[in-house]
Amino acid sequence: PAAFALDPNASVSKEAGPFDLFRHGFKAYREGNKEEAVEAYRYAAEMGHTGSRWALATMYADGDGVAQNDLEAFKIYSEIASQGVEPGSEDTGFFVNALLALADYYRHGIPGTAVKTDLTQARQIYFQVASTFGVAEAQFQLARMMMTGEGGTANVQQAKKWLNQARKAGHPGAMA
């Protein structure tokens, strides 16, 4: 990666620990200094900081402060997913959000790349997040896939069960 010089007036240098870099990146992002945020996140991500990896991937996915690059986002989300998460860890939210993003990429593919639509993989990821972490969005998406048989056998009974769980959690789509 290209070498960047963090703002000399900033409170964080690349020698800082990953958590300080993450906090610095978050502050820079909030203040609208997205180039500095990307830089701080990149340094922290290289040190294995999950939150920074997730923030960087999300910026790539949204084209927020960097050129939009779904493939780059996909790669980073995949690294987070393969790294796993300790139960109850502070990284759980980042891990779950990375899995949800991956499921969406598998559901739709990334045109012009090697990432093709893989409905079975998308459904498996939604199932993992719905059952292990009880995330309403995953429950809702899983139910939708089960209703239509996307990525596996259609199962209206199971779909209803997941829709009901998502509804109880207050998911707007499930409540409709």
Side-chain angles (χ1 to χ4, degrees), residues 115-149:
V115 181
K116 303 300 176 212
T117 300
D118 184 341
L119 296 176
T120 304
Q121 183 70 8
R123 185 163 159 168
Q124 286 173 346
I125 294 171
Y126 284 133
F127 180 80
Q128 178 189 355
V129 176
S131 57
T132 307
F133 300 99
V135 175
E137 179 62 20
Q139 294 166 342
F140 178 70
Q141 296 300 337
L142 178 61
R144 286 180 58 199
M145 292 185 85
M146 286 180 154
M147 285 277 196
T148 60

Side-chain angles (χ1 to χ4, degrees), residues 100-118:
L100 288 174
L102 282 175
D104 191 60
Y105 281 129
Y106 281 122
R107 197 165 182 185
H108 302 105
I110 303 173
T113 72
V115 181
K116 303 300 176 212
T117 300
D118 184 341

Side-chain angles (χ1 to χ4, degrees), residues 30-170:
R30 259 198 349 246
E31 292 169 356
N33 188 347
K34 293 183 182 177
E35 278 180 31
E36 193 170 318
V38 167
E39 197 176 329
Y41 288 151
R42 198 170 274 138
Y43 284 130
E46 286 168 7
M47 294 179 208
H49 188 268
T50 303
S52 295
R53 283 181 172 167
W54 177 83
L56 203 52
T58 303
M59 289 177 84
Y60 277 116
D62 298 340
D64 183 11
V66 291
Q68 195 208 5
N69 187 333
D70 284 315
L71 186 59
E72 189 61 29
F74 177 86
K75 287 177 187 171
I76 299 169
Y77 287 137
S78 295
E79 287 171 11
I80 294 169
S82 66
Q83 181 185 329
V85 70
E86 289 291 314
S89 156
E90 63 201 20
D91 290 338
T92 301
F94 300 123
F95 178 72
V96 165
N97 285 314
L99 288 175
L100 288 174
L102 282 175
D104 191 60
Y105 281 129
Y106 281 122
R107 197 165 182 185
H108 302 105
I110 303 173
T113 72
V115 181
K116 303 300 176 212
T117 300
D118 184 341
L119 296 176
T120 304
Q121 183 70 8
R123 185 163 159 168
Q124 286 173 346
I125 294 171
Y126 284 133
F127 180 80
Q128 178 189 355
V129 176
S131 57
T132 307
F133 300 99
V135 175
E137 179 62 20
Q139 294 166 342
F140 178 70
Q141 296 300 337
L142 178 61
R144 286 180 58 199
M145 292 185 85
M146 286 180 154
M147 285 277 196
T148 60
E150 263 186 293
T153 314
N155 186 330
V156 176
Q157 283 310 108
Q158 280 295 305
K160 281 181 184 171
K161 181 190 118 183
W162 288 114
L163 263 181
N164 205 25
Q165 295 227 355
R167 182 186 56 76
K168 284 179 186 163

